[in-house]
PDB file of all heavy atoms in Angstrom:
ATOM      1  N   VAL A   1     118.452 121.119  94.577  1.00 92.00           N
ATOM      2  CA  VAL A   1     119.086 120.261  95.553  1.00 92.00           C
ATOM      3  C   VAL A   1     120.380 119.707  94.989  1.00 92.00           C
ATOM      4  O   VAL A   1     120.357 119.457  93.796  1.00 92.00           O
ATOM      5  CB  VAL A   1     118.158 119.125  96.084  1.00 92.00           C
ATOM      6  CG1 VAL A   1     116.978 119.703  96.855  1.00 92.00           C
ATOM      7  CG2 VAL A   1     117.686 118.244  94.979  1.00 92.00           C
ATOM      8  N   GLN A   2     121.334 119.536  95.749  1.00 94.00           N
ATOM      9  CA  GLN A   2     122.622 119.024  95.250  1.00 94.00           C
ATOM     10  C   GLN A   2     122.916 117.710  95.995  1.00 94.00           C
ATOM     11  O   GLN A   2     122.942 117.702  97.145  1.00 94.00           O
ATOM     12  CB  GLN A   2     123.750 120.037  95.563  1.00 94.00           C
ATOM     13  CG  GLN A   2     125.018 119.766  94.831  1.00 94.00           C
ATOM     14  CD  GLN A   2     125.940 120.978  94.845  1.00 94.00           C
ATOM     15  OE1 GLN A   2     125.478 122.039  94.533  1.00 94.00           O
ATOM     16  NE2 GLN A   2     127.159 120.766  95.206  1.00 94.00           N
ATOM     17  N   LEU A   3     123.070 116.671  95.189  1.00 93.00           N
ATOM     18  CA  LEU A   3     123.297 115.363  95.735  1.00 93.00           C
ATOM     19  C   LEU A   3     124.755 114.946  95.654  1.00 93.00           C
ATOM     20  O   LEU A   3     125.413 115.193  94.596  1.00 93.00           O
ATOM     21  CB  LEU A   3     122.488 114.311  94.981  1.00 93.00           C
ATOM     22  CG  LEU A   3     121.027 114.471  94.965  1.00 93.00           C
ATOM     23  CD1 LEU A   3     120.397 113.444  94.086  1.00 93.00           C
ATOM     24  CD2 LEU A   3     120.419 114.458  96.322  1.00 93.00           C
ATOM     25  N   SER A   4     125.339 114.347  96.640  1.00 92.00           N
ATOM     26  CA  SER A   4     126.658 113.863  96.609  1.00 92.00           C
ATOM     27  C   SER A   4     126.708 112.593  95.703  1.00 92.00           C
ATOM     28  O   SER A   4     125.650 112.164  95.250  1.00 92.00           O
ATOM     29  CB  SER A   4     127.107 113.332  98.004  1.00 92.00           C
ATOM     30  OG  SER A   4     126.278 112.271  98.412  1.00 92.00           O
ATOM     31  N   VAL A   5     127.838 112.184  95.309  1.00 90.00           N
ATOM     32  CA  VAL A   5     127.987 110.997  94.457  1.00 90.00           C
ATOM     33  C   VAL A   5     127.307 109.801  95.118  1.00 90.00           C
ATOM     34  O   VAL A   5     126.564 109.053  94.400  1.00 90.00           O
ATOM     35  CB  VAL A   5     129.445 110.690  94.216  1.00 90.00           C
ATOM     36  CG1 VAL A   5     129.651 109.353  93.436  1.00 90.00           C
ATOM     37  CG2 VAL A   5     130.225 111.831  93.482  1.00 90.00           C
ATOM     38  N   GLU A   6     127.443 109.647  96.373  1.00 90.00           N
ATOM     39  CA  GLU A   6     126.839 108.470  97.087  1.00 90.00           C
ATOM     40  C   GLU A   6     125.317 108.513  96.991  1.00 90.00           C
ATOM     41  O   GLU A   6     124.662 107.560  96.711  1.00 90.00           O
ATOM     42  CB  GLU A   6     127.297 108.453  98.538  1.00 90.00           C
ATOM     43  CG  GLU A   6     128.769 108.169  98.708  1.00 90.00           C
ATOM     44  CD  GLU A   6     129.640 109.428  98.430  1.00 90.00           C
ATOM     45  OE1 GLU A   6     129.186 110.528  98.500  1.00 90.00           O
ATOM     46  OE2 GLU A   6     130.838 109.209  98.129  1.00 90.00           O
ATOM     47  N   LYS A   7     124.722 109.712  97.262  1.00 90.00           N
ATOM     48  CA  LYS A   7     123.278 109.772  97.183  1.00 90.00           C
ATOM     49  C   LYS A   7     122.798 109.711  95.750  1.00 90.00           C
ATOM     50  O   LYS A   7     121.699 109.095  95.500  1.00 90.00           O
ATOM     51  CB  LYS A   7     122.822 111.109  97.872  1.00 90.00           C
ATOM     52  CG  LYS A   7     122.759 110.957  99.352  1.00 90.00           C
ATOM     53  CD  LYS A   7     122.027 112.108  99.988  1.00 90.00           C
ATOM     54  CE  LYS A   7     122.144 111.895 101.549  1.00 90.00           C
ATOM     55  NZ  LYS A   7     121.605 112.997 102.246  1.00 90.00           N
ATOM     56  N   ALA A   8     123.534 110.244  94.803  1.00 88.00           N
ATOM     57  CA  ALA A   8     123.101 110.140  93.421  1.00 88.00           C
ATOM     58  C   ALA A   8     123.096 108.601  93.007  1.00 88.00           C
ATOM     59  O   ALA A   8     122.192 108.171  92.385  1.00 88.00           O
ATOM     60  CB  ALA A   8     124.134 110.906  92.442  1.00 88.00           C
ATOM     61  N   ARG A   9     124.017 107.900  93.450  1.00 88.00           N
ATOM     62  CA  ARG A   9     124.081 106.388  93.195  1.00 88.00           C
ATOM     63  C   ARG A   9     122.816 105.726  93.850  1.00 88.00           C
ATOM     64  O   ARG A   9     122.314 104.800  93.296  1.00 88.00           O
ATOM     65  CB  ARG A   9     125.383 105.772  93.652  1.00 88.00           C
ATOM     66  CG  ARG A   9     126.566 106.124  92.746  1.00 88.00           C
ATOM     67  CD  ARG A   9     127.808 105.465  93.206  1.00 88.00           C
ATOM     68  NE  ARG A   9     128.921 105.926  92.322  1.00 88.00           N
ATOM     69  CZ  ARG A   9     130.130 106.232  92.782  1.00 88.00           C
ATOM     70  NH1 ARG A   9     130.443 106.183  93.967  1.00 88.00           N
ATOM     71  NH2 ARG A   9     131.093 106.639  91.928  1.00 88.00           N
ATOM     72  N   LEU A  10     122.577 106.078  95.107  1.00 88.00           N
ATOM     73  CA  LEU A  10     121.423 105.521  95.779  1.00 88.00           C
ATOM     74  C   LEU A  10     120.153 105.740  95.029  1.00 88.00           C
ATOM     75  O   LEU A  10     119.326 104.870  94.859  1.00 88.00           O
ATOM     76  CB  LEU A  10     121.338 105.994  97.199  1.00 88.00           C
ATOM     77  CG  LEU A  10     122.382 105.511  98.249  1.00 88.00           C
ATOM     78  CD1 LEU A  10     122.248 106.287  99.517  1.00 88.00           C
ATOM     79  CD2 LEU A  10     122.149 104.097  98.481  1.00 88.00           C
ATOM     80  N   PHE A  11     119.925 106.985  94.604  1.00 86.00           N
ATOM     81  CA  PHE A  11     118.772 107.322  93.748  1.00 86.00           C
ATOM     82  C   PHE A  11     118.719 106.502  92.489  1.00 86.00           C
ATOM     83  O   PHE A  11     117.715 105.922  92.150  1.00 86.00           O
ATOM     84  CB  PHE A  11     118.721 108.831  93.470  1.00 86.00           C
ATOM     85  CG  PHE A  11     118.045 109.650  94.512  1.00 86.00           C
ATOM     86  CD1 PHE A  11     118.732 110.306  95.486  1.00 86.00           C
ATOM     87  CD2 PHE A  11     116.666 109.788  94.461  1.00 86.00           C
ATOM     88  CE1 PHE A  11     118.123 111.075  96.414  1.00 86.00           C
ATOM     89  CE2 PHE A  11     115.993 110.531  95.421  1.00 86.00           C
ATOM     90  CZ  PHE A  11     116.747 111.164  96.395  1.00 86.00           C
ATOM     91  N   ARG A  12     119.856 106.475  91.803  1.00 88.00           N
ATOM     92  CA  ARG A  12     119.969 105.730  90.516  1.00 88.00           C
ATOM     93  C   ARG A  12     119.537 104.315  90.730  1.00 88.00           C
ATOM     94  O   ARG A  12     118.671 103.757  90.043  1.00 88.00           O
ATOM     95  CB  ARG A  12     121.374 105.818  89.962  1.00 88.00           C
ATOM     96  CG  ARG A  12     121.545 104.978  88.693  1.00 88.00           C
ATOM     97  CD  ARG A  12     122.985 104.658  88.455  1.00 88.00           C
ATOM     98  NE  ARG A  12     123.550 103.785  89.543  1.00 88.00           N
ATOM     99  CZ  ARG A  12     124.871 103.747  89.845  1.00 88.00           C
ATOM    100  NH1 ARG A  12     125.803 104.287  89.087  1.00 88.00           N
ATOM    101  NH2 ARG A  12     125.278 102.939  90.794  1.00 88.00           N
ATOM    102  N   ASP A  13     120.165 103.679  91.704  1.00 88.00           N
ATOM    103  CA  ASP A  13     119.867 102.229  91.916  1.00 88.00           C
ATOM    104  C   ASP A  13     118.444 101.963  92.356  1.00 88.00           C
ATOM    105  O   ASP A  13     117.822 101.025  91.857  1.00 88.00           O
ATOM    106  CB  ASP A  13     120.886 101.694  93.012  1.00 88.00           C
ATOM    107  CG  ASP A  13     122.351 101.721  92.684  1.00 88.00           C
ATOM    108  OD1 ASP A  13     122.567 101.903  91.418  1.00 88.00           O
ATOM    109  OD2 ASP A  13     123.114 101.567  93.520  1.00 88.00           O
ATOM    110  N   TYR A  14     117.913 102.875  93.185  1.00 86.00           N
ATOM    111  CA  TYR A  14     116.528 102.702  93.592  1.00 86.00           C
ATOM    112  C   TYR A  14     115.582 102.831  92.413  1.00 86.00           C
ATOM    113  O   TYR A  14     114.700 102.034  92.176  1.00 86.00           O
ATOM    114  CB  TYR A  14     116.126 103.707  94.686  1.00 86.00           C
ATOM    115  CG  TYR A  14     114.625 103.597  94.910  1.00 86.00           C
ATOM    116  CD1 TYR A  14     114.122 102.561  95.633  1.00 86.00           C
ATOM    117  CD2 TYR A  14     113.768 104.520  94.358  1.00 86.00           C
ATOM    118  CE1 TYR A  14     112.815 102.391  95.893  1.00 86.00           C
ATOM    119  CE2 TYR A  14     112.348 104.392  94.557  1.00 86.00           C
ATOM    120  CZ  TYR A  14     111.949 103.350  95.337  1.00 86.00           C
ATOM    121  OH  TYR A  14     110.547 103.162  95.503  1.00 86.00           O
ATOM    122  N   PHE A  15     115.764 103.927  91.625  1.00 86.00           N
ATOM    123  CA  PHE A  15     114.876 104.183  90.521  1.00 86.00           C
ATOM    124  C   PHE A  15     114.918 103.124  89.389  1.00 86.00           C
ATOM    125  O   PHE A  15     113.922 102.744  88.855  1.00 86.00           O
ATOM    126  CB  PHE A  15     115.042 105.593  89.890  1.00 86.00           C
ATOM    127  CG  PHE A  15     114.614 106.677  90.729  1.00 86.00           C
ATOM    128  CD1 PHE A  15     115.422 107.792  91.047  1.00 86.00           C
ATOM    129  CD2 PHE A  15     113.310 106.714  91.219  1.00 86.00           C
ATOM    130  CE1 PHE A  15     114.950 108.806  91.879  1.00 86.00           C
ATOM    131  CE2 PHE A  15     112.819 107.721  92.025  1.00 86.00           C
ATOM    132  CZ  PHE A  15     113.657 108.851  92.338  1.00 86.00           C
ATOM    133  N   VAL A  16     116.153 102.555  89.174  1.00 90.00           N
ATOM    134  CA  VAL A  16     116.194 101.488  88.214  1.00 90.00           C
ATOM    135  C   VAL A  16     115.433 100.307  88.711  1.00 90.00           C
ATOM    136  O   VAL A  16     114.699  99.664  87.996  1.00 90.00           O
ATOM    137  CB  VAL A  16     117.691 101.080  87.974  1.00 90.00           C
ATOM    138  CG1 VAL A  16     117.838  99.765  87.238  1.00 90.00           C
ATOM    139  CG2 VAL A  16     118.412 102.216  87.175  1.00 90.00           C
ATOM    140  N   LYS A  17     115.573  99.990  90.015  1.00 87.00           N
ATOM    141  CA  LYS A  17     114.784  98.785  90.627  1.00 87.00           C
ATOM    142  C   LYS A  17     113.319  99.136  90.632  1.00 87.00           C
ATOM    143  O   LYS A  17     112.495  98.209  90.317  1.00 87.00           O
ATOM    144  CB  LYS A  17     115.288  98.509  91.978  1.00 87.00           C
ATOM    145  CG  LYS A  17     116.628  97.885  91.976  1.00 87.00           C
ATOM    146  CD  LYS A  17     117.125  97.613  93.391  1.00 87.00           C
ATOM    147  CE  LYS A  17     118.516  96.980  93.414  1.00 87.00           C
ATOM    148  NZ  LYS A  17     118.994  96.751  94.796  1.00 87.00           N
ATOM    149  N   TRP A  18     112.954 100.414  90.911  1.00 82.00           N
ATOM    150  CA  TRP A  18     111.492 100.702  91.054  1.00 82.00           C
ATOM    151  C   TRP A  18     110.812 100.570  89.677  1.00 82.00           C
ATOM    152  O   TRP A  18     109.742 100.035  89.531  1.00 82.00           O
ATOM    153  CB  TRP A  18     111.347 102.154  91.572  1.00 82.00           C
ATOM    154  CG  TRP A  18     109.889 102.526  91.759  1.00 82.00           C
ATOM    155  CD1 TRP A  18     109.056 102.099  92.731  1.00 82.00           C
ATOM    156  CD2 TRP A  18     109.227 103.473  90.963  1.00 82.00           C
ATOM    157  NE1 TRP A  18     107.784 102.711  92.580  1.00 82.00           N
ATOM    158  CE2 TRP A  18     107.883 103.499  91.505  1.00 82.00           C
ATOM    159  CE3 TRP A  18     109.524 104.158  89.882  1.00 82.00           C
ATOM    160  CZ2 TRP A  18     106.950 104.277  90.938  1.00 82.00           C
ATOM    161  CZ3 TRP A  18     108.540 104.973  89.238  1.00 82.00           C
ATOM    162  CH2 TRP A  18     107.273 105.051  89.784  1.00 82.00           C
ATOM    163  N   VAL A  19     111.493 101.117  88.604  1.00 87.00           N
ATOM    164  CA  VAL A  19     110.948 101.049  87.301  1.00 87.00           C
ATOM    165  C   VAL A  19     110.811  99.603  86.778  1.00 87.00           C
ATOM    166  O   VAL A  19     109.780  99.296  86.129  1.00 87.00           O
ATOM    167  CB  VAL A  19     111.820 101.864  86.240  1.00 87.00           C
ATOM    168  CG1 VAL A  19     111.395 101.632  84.846  1.00 87.00           C
ATOM    169  CG2 VAL A  19     111.646 103.435  86.610  1.00 87.00           C
ATOM    170  N   ALA A  20     111.733  98.763  87.234  1.00 89.00           N
ATOM    171  CA  ALA A  20     111.697  97.340  86.895  1.00 89.00           C
ATOM    172  C   ALA A  20     110.706  96.518  87.764  1.00 89.00           C
ATOM    173  O   ALA A  20     110.592  95.404  87.519  1.00 89.00           O
ATOM    174  CB  ALA A  20     113.099  96.755  86.933  1.00 89.00           C
ATOM    175  N   GLY A  21     110.123  97.143  88.699  1.00 85.00           N
ATOM    176  CA  GLY A  21     109.234  96.508  89.666  1.00 85.00           C
ATOM    177  C   GLY A  21     109.940  95.675  90.634  1.00 85.00           C
ATOM    178  O   GLY A  21     109.306  94.782  91.272  1.00 85.00           O
ATOM    179  N   GLU A  22     111.174  96.014  90.859  1.00 84.00           N
ATOM    180  CA  GLU A  22     112.033  95.129  91.835  1.00 84.00           C
ATOM    181  C   GLU A  22     112.394  95.902  93.126  1.00 84.00           C
ATOM    182  O   GLU A  22     113.122  95.348  93.899  1.00 84.00           O
ATOM    183  CB  GLU A  22     113.276  94.771  91.131  1.00 84.00           C
ATOM    184  CG  GLU A  22     113.065  93.889  89.886  1.00 84.00           C
ATOM    185  CD  GLU A  22     114.355  93.778  89.073  1.00 84.00           C
ATOM    186  OE1 GLU A  22     115.391  94.262  89.467  1.00 84.00           O
ATOM    187  OE2 GLU A  22     114.266  93.097  88.011  1.00 84.00           O
ATOM    188  N   ALA A  23     111.906  97.088  93.312  1.00 76.00           N
ATOM    189  CA  ALA A  23     112.306  97.845  94.468  1.00 76.00           C
ATOM    190  C   ALA A  23     111.730  97.218  95.733  1.00 76.00           C
ATOM    191  O   ALA A  23     110.600  96.904  95.804  1.00 76.00           O
ATOM    192  CB  ALA A  23     111.854  99.313  94.363  1.00 76.00           C
ATOM    193  N   SER A  24     112.559  97.097  96.783  1.00 66.00           N
ATOM    194  CA  SER A  24     112.119  96.464  98.017  1.00 66.00           C
ATOM    195  C   SER A  24     111.831  97.508  99.118  1.00 66.00           C
ATOM    196  O   SER A  24     111.237  97.215 100.099  1.00 66.00           O
ATOM    197  CB  SER A  24     113.150  95.522  98.514  1.00 66.00           C
ATOM    198  OG  SER A  24     114.404  96.213  98.732  1.00 66.00           O
ATOM    199  N   VAL A  25     112.250  98.777  98.891  1.00 58.00           N
ATOM    200  CA  VAL A  25     112.072  99.833  99.846  1.00 58.00           C
ATOM    201  C   VAL A  25     111.123 100.868  99.213  1.00 58.00           C
ATOM    202  O   VAL A  25     111.287 101.291  98.006  1.00 58.00           O
ATOM    203  CB  VAL A  25     113.392 100.499 100.206  1.00 58.00           C
ATOM    204  CG1 VAL A  25     113.203 101.708 101.078  1.00 58.00           C
ATOM    205  CG2 VAL A  25     114.367  99.509 100.803  1.00 58.00           C
ATOM    206  N   ASN A  26     110.114 101.298  99.955  1.00 55.00           N
ATOM    207  CA  ASN A  26     109.118 102.234  99.462  1.00 55.00           C
ATOM    208  C   ASN A  26     109.590 103.640  99.752  1.00 55.00           C
ATOM    209  O   ASN A  26     109.449 104.166 100.838  1.00 55.00           O
ATOM    210  CB  ASN A  26     107.777 101.999 100.070  1.00 55.00           C
ATOM    211  CG  ASN A  26     106.707 102.984  99.507  1.00 55.00           C
ATOM    212  OD1 ASN A  26     106.926 103.685  98.523  1.00 55.00           O
ATOM    213  ND2 ASN A  26     105.652 103.150 100.246  1.00 55.00           N
ATOM    214  N   LEU A  27     110.301 104.332  98.809  1.00 51.00           N
ATOM    215  CA  LEU A  27     110.691 105.726  99.001  1.00 51.00           C
ATOM    216  C   LEU A  27     109.574 106.614  98.533  1.00 51.00           C
ATOM    217  O   LEU A  27     109.701 107.831  98.833  1.00 51.00           O
ATOM    218  CB  LEU A  27     111.942 106.045  98.152  1.00 51.00           C
ATOM    219  CG  LEU A  27     113.156 105.303  98.587  1.00 51.00           C
ATOM    220  CD1 LEU A  27     114.369 105.622  97.709  1.00 51.00           C
ATOM    221  CD2 LEU A  27     113.583 105.565 100.043  1.00 51.00           C
ATOM    222  N   ILE A  28     108.638 106.112  97.837  1.00 44.00           N
ATOM    223  CA  ILE A  28     107.510 106.924  97.341  1.00 44.00           C
ATOM    224  C   ILE A  28     106.271 106.577  97.996  1.00 44.00           C
ATOM    225  O   ILE A  28     105.842 105.419  97.988  1.00 44.00           O
ATOM    226  CB  ILE A  28     107.457 106.787  95.774  1.00 44.00           C
ATOM    227  CG1 ILE A  28     108.684 107.129  95.054  1.00 44.00           C
ATOM    228  CG2 ILE A  28     106.222 107.567  95.232  1.00 44.00           C
ATOM    229  CD1 ILE A  28     108.781 106.832  93.694  1.00 44.00           C
ATOM    230  N   SER A  29     105.629 107.529  98.683  1.00 49.00           N
ATOM    231  CA  SER A  29     104.451 107.312  99.469  1.00 49.00           C
ATOM    232  C   SER A  29     103.410 108.350  99.313  1.00 49.00           C
ATOM    233  O   SER A  29     103.849 109.521  99.416  1.00 49.00           O
ATOM    234  CB  SER A  29     104.834 107.015 100.892  1.00 49.00           C
ATOM    235  OG  SER A  29     103.674 106.916 101.708  1.00 49.00           O
ATOM    236  N   ASP A  30     102.193 108.092  99.072  1.00 45.00           N
ATOM    237  CA  ASP A  30     101.144 109.170  99.070  1.00 45.00           C
ATOM    238  C   ASP A  30     100.807 109.576 100.497  1.00 45.00           C
ATOM    239  O   ASP A  30     100.105 110.486 100.716  1.00 45.00           O
ATOM    240  CB  ASP A  30      99.878 108.587  98.433  1.00 45.00           C
ATOM    241  CG  ASP A  30     100.010 108.450  96.962  1.00 45.00           C
ATOM    242  OD1 ASP A  30     100.874 109.129  96.409  1.00 45.00           O
ATOM    243  OD2 ASP A  30      99.184 107.726  96.357  1.00 45.00           O
ATOM    244  N   GLN A  31     101.413 108.902 101.468  1.00 46.00           N
ATOM    245  CA  GLN A  31     101.117 109.250 102.874  1.00 46.00           C
ATOM    246  C   GLN A  31     102.139 110.136 103.423  1.00 46.00           C
ATOM    247  O   GLN A  31     102.130 110.463 104.691  1.00 46.00           O
ATOM    248  CB  GLN A  31     101.094 107.887 103.825  1.00 46.00           C
ATOM    249  CG  GLN A  31     100.075 106.906 103.265  1.00 46.00           C
ATOM    250  CD  GLN A  31      98.676 107.581 103.226  1.00 46.00           C
ATOM    251  OE1 GLN A  31      98.213 108.180 104.141  1.00 46.00           O
ATOM    252  NE2 GLN A  31      97.975 107.297 102.113  1.00 46.00           N
ATOM    253  N   GLY A  32     103.009 110.702 102.659  1.00 44.00           N
ATOM    254  CA  GLY A  32     104.086 111.674 103.176  1.00 44.00           C
ATOM    255  C   GLY A  32     105.281 111.000 103.598  1.00 44.00           C
ATOM    256  O   GLY A  32     106.078 110.651 102.745  1.00 44.00           O
ATOM    257  N   SER A  33     105.530 110.722 104.827  1.00 44.00           N
ATOM    258  CA  SER A  33     106.775 110.190 105.236  1.00 44.00           C
ATOM    259  C   SER A  33     106.659 108.669 105.477  1.00 44.00           C
ATOM    260  O   SER A  33     107.489 108.126 106.189  1.00 44.00           O
ATOM    261  CB  SER A  33     107.188 110.817 106.570  1.00 44.00           C
ATOM    262  OG  SER A  33     106.260 110.571 107.572  1.00 44.00           O
ATOM    263  N   GLY A  34     105.723 107.969 104.780  1.00 43.00           N
ATOM    264  CA  GLY A  34     105.592 106.600 105.004  1.00 43.00           C
ATOM    265  C   GLY A  34     106.660 105.754 104.483  1.00 43.00           C
ATOM    266  O   GLY A  34     106.892 104.599 104.850  1.00 43.00           O
ATOM    267  N   GLY A  35     107.541 106.270 103.645  1.00 48.00           N
ATOM    268  CA  GLY A  35     108.685 105.541 103.087  1.00 48.00           C
ATOM    269  C   GLY A  35     109.917 105.717 103.854  1.00 48.00           C
ATOM    270  O   GLY A  35     110.002 106.391 104.812  1.00 48.00           O
TER     271      GLY A  35
END
């Protein structure tokens, strides 16, 4: 998959927050499209 600069930044920002336990949006879900 090829990500634009904008989407790469969105992923970066989300993953940094998620690892720090600060993510407010659930992009990762065991329910499939729940995020």
Side-chain angles (χ1 to χ4, degrees):
V1 294
Q2 191 163 313
L3 302 177
S4 65
V5 174
E6 295 78 21
K7 283 193 180 171
R9 286 182 182 138
L10 287 171
F11 271 96
R12 176 200 63 199
D13 295 346
Y14 174 77
F15 287 128
V16 167
K17 288 179 181 179
W18 183 74
V19 169
E22 302 168 359
S24 60
V25 178
N26 179 18
L27 294 179
I28 301 171
S29 171
D30 286 340
Q31 301 304 312
S33 63

